Amino acid sequence: MILLFGRIADPIIASLTVQLAARSTDLMVIDPAHSPVDEAVEWESDGNALLGFLRIDRRAIDASSIRSMYVREIGWAVTGATGGQTPGGSRARAESLWAFIEAYGGLVINRRIAGCTNASKPYQLELIRKQGFHVPQTLVTTDPEAARLFWEEFGGAVIYKSLSAERSIVKRMTVADIGRLGLLHTCPLQLQEFIPGVDVRVHVVGERIFATEIRSEAADYRYAERVGAGREMRPIDLPPDVAARCVTLTKSLGLVVAGVDLRRAADGEYYCFEANPSPAFLWFEDMTGQRIGEAIVELLCRGTVWN
Amino acid sequence: MGVILLLADSGDGWALQVEQTFLRRHQAVQRIESKSLVESLALNWRLDGSVHSAILSTALGSPQENSCAELLGVLVRTNLAALEIPDGFVAPGDRDYVQMEWSAALCGWLKALTCPVVNTIVPGRSANLPPSHGSVRMALGQAGFIASPQVLVSDSSRAMDWFDRWKRRAFLLPLGTGHGLQYLQGVGGHEVMAEAILAGPAILQPVPEGTRLRAFVVGNAVVGGVWRSAVQDRCLREAVLDATTLPPGLSQQCRKLARHLDLVFAQIDLVWGRDEVTFCQGVSSSPDYWSCSDALRGLLVRHLVAVLDHTQE
């Protein structure tokens, strides 16, 4: 049995479900949108492994039959850097399921703590730097003057983005933004030197990697259309040392699957910006034909990262 | 002279005693209440630490700037996941976003500091962890502890069934509430459990045969706590802990466990069974001040102070 946690309408859950079903895999989608919020969840552990049955959604799942889990959404989203939560379902049910996932000793893509490292981007950046990646010069500040000096230091080649996991569009800081720096005293901002170069998104799936090169004039290639910029994407082979570092970084963060954002600078150096613990890989599959979902499905079926 | 920073409210016993100790020694110490944290702090740091890194605080009424390099140590007792954003500080629609951004910034800043931080915040990790938690399970094995059987219940009648099956003695850890591990026994235990399960799911563990202990790790030091015999059979939340010396082997195991979990200050609930087999019922990064006797509190505060001002051996 493979458990998929997430909404069936979520394209990633839908895609994995179809691929697993095509392999006649025994699977169950635990959809927070279609589960009774007041239902009791129960599980047992002997201290090392789950025992008996997980009782959920009026079903009893034999714990020993669970081969792996894929966690996209539990229903009570973790949003704060320290695991603060916002409503979106039954808190009690979500807590029970998270505890169940943590108690499961087998393959989980991905566990909660591992998935939370990018809830604080500067926290994760420290971990990335320790793995030997170049990281951009970064200032976290609530001081307008410090922000202005940072901008000047890099000749205006500075981007800003959110500090938390809240999705934000990466933007170049402009002269017009200088006038708004007074707002900083209420909310810290993350500024980074702009690294000219080519974006590379690396999807790490266990020990396999899928690297996609993205060429775009936009500061954030995901939103190139919005700023009238173009975008070209193609699969590439990474230098072996960079590829190995991506796998090591993913493991060191406790992740099994990650979307690692790199940029290759003009001098050939690779900078790492962040590692996304729940990458929306379908878009990259559509644009490049890379079979990332298939690799995830293979992992889930195998039940281990190792062959 | 360096500054000790305490992110804690005045009701926090550990922080208050640490603050008083430093004040008595005329050591620079600054405590910032959670309700004024975002108004008091002005963060400004470079991740590479090479340029001006400062924390500017107006908490004491007059602006005072402390370079991060001048920070001797930081004691974190504020729940950064639930940072208070004062009314009127930002527009109501921006409140959640601002809270997340502050939380993320502080979490990253604490991680980047090179001075002792008690404790660094691990995003997504609760303060009270059961032995079944993935990271704890792995660390327990490495430290040589045994995890007890556990059951997660979210229905009070099912919880009572388990409690009765275990002869009405159990450990209870409510999930997602911030409450720590509780020892339950008899009729009183029934009541506490029913109340807890009403608030949310909880992990229940049977009580192995042996002596219940609570170990505290503070930096390199390990201090044992033993439940006062007169209240040994009452619920944990009513009991008092006295200091005790743990066997060196057990102390070493506790030290190892805390280190694996990246905790400078940790509380570890144990049952020391026959043949020196030790069961672990849970680990907390937020040790309970109120269950400790005055003497035990004093001992732990001395160790906390030594960690923060770098005098611990």
Side-chain angles (χ1 to χ4, degrees), chain A residues 154-277:
Chain A
F154 291 97
V158 167
I159 62 97
Y160 60 92
K161 60 183 185 182
S162 68
L163 287 146
S164 68
E166 184 73 6
R167 196 181 176 105
S168 66
I169 302 174
V170 179
K171 285 189 176 153
R172 284 284 290 264
M173 190 173 157
T174 64
V175 177
D177 293 319
I178 301 286
R180 300 192 300 135
L181 290 176
L183 296 169
L184 278 186
H185 71 276
T186 57
C187 186
L189 178 69
Q190 177 173 221
L191 297 171
Q192 287 183 335
E193 65 169 322
F194 175 75
I195 308 284
V198 177
D199 283 304
V200 180
R201 161 53 80 96
V202 183
H203 286 98
V204 178
V205 182
E207 301 220 294
R208 295 179 66 183
I209 64 158
F210 300 86
T212 308
E213 183 182 278
I214 306 113
R215 290 181 181 269
S216 175
E217 312 87 66
D220 190 331
Y221 64 80
R222 296 171 301 174
Y223 303 98
E225 295 87 350
R226 291 192 191 178
V227 292
R231 179 181 53 227
E232 286 173 27
M233 297 165 75
R234 68 181 183 99
I236 58 160
D237 289 325
L238 281 178
D241 62 316
V242 179
R245 221 179 297 152
C246 288
V247 173
T248 307
L249 170 66
T250 302
K251 262 190 213 169
S252 74
L253 296 174
L255 297 165
V256 178
V257 170
V260 181
D261 288 324
L262 304 179
R263 186 166 292 164
R264 190 175 62 244
D267 61 2
E269 286 290 358
Y270 281 82
Y271 284 76
C272 183
F273 298 135
E274 64 181 281
N276 187 324

Side-chain angles (χ1 to χ4, degrees), chain A residues 39-49 55 78-84 86 91-93 95-96 99-100 102-105 111-113 116-117 119-123 125-127 129-130 137-143 146 150 153-154 161-166 168 184-188, chain B residues 38 41-52 79-82 89-90 96-98 100-109 111-112 120-126 129-135 137 147-155 158 162 165 175-177 199-201 203 262:
Chain A
E39 190 195 46
V41 176
E42 186 173 316
W43 52 262
E44 281 175 66
S45 160
D46 67 357
N48 293 306
R55 295 175 200 285
V78 174
T79 54
T82 50
T86 53
R91 185 187 68 78
R93 180 189 161 87
E95 287 293 346
S96 304
F100 166 72
E102 279 305 332
Y104 176 64
R111 288 183 187 273
R112 187 183 200 175
I113 289 184
C116 281
T117 57
S120 168
K121 291 192 175 94
Y123 176 96
L125 210 54
E126 276 292 320
L127 301 176
R129 193 170 55 154
K130 283 180 182 159
Q137 287 280 341
T138 302
L139 177 75
V140 178
T141 189
T142 53
D143 180 354
F150 188 81
E153 182 183 340
F154 291 97
K161 60 183 185 182
S162 68
L163 287 146
S164 68
E166 184 73 6
S168 66
L184 278 186
H185 71 276
T186 57
C187 186
Chain B
V38 302
L41 283 183
L43 285 178
N44 186 26
W45 100 94
R46 289 278 281 260
L47 255 67
D48 65 1
S50 63
V51 199
H52 175 71
N79 179 4
L80 295 185
F89 189 64
V90 291
D96 288 348
Y97 176 76
V98 168
M100 283 198 294
E101 292 293 283
W102 267 104
S103 173
L106 287 167
C107 205
W109 177 66
K111 179 76 179 166
T120 311
I121 308 297
V122 178
R125 191 167 79 178
S126 312
L129 298 169
S132 55
H133 190 278
S135 57
R137 192 174 57 239
S148 297
Q150 294 142 74
V151 57
L152 179 132
V153 285
S154 43
D155 172 272
R158 292 286 295 147
W162 284 104
R165 196 183 299 180
L175 295 179
T177 62
I203 286 181
D262 206 14

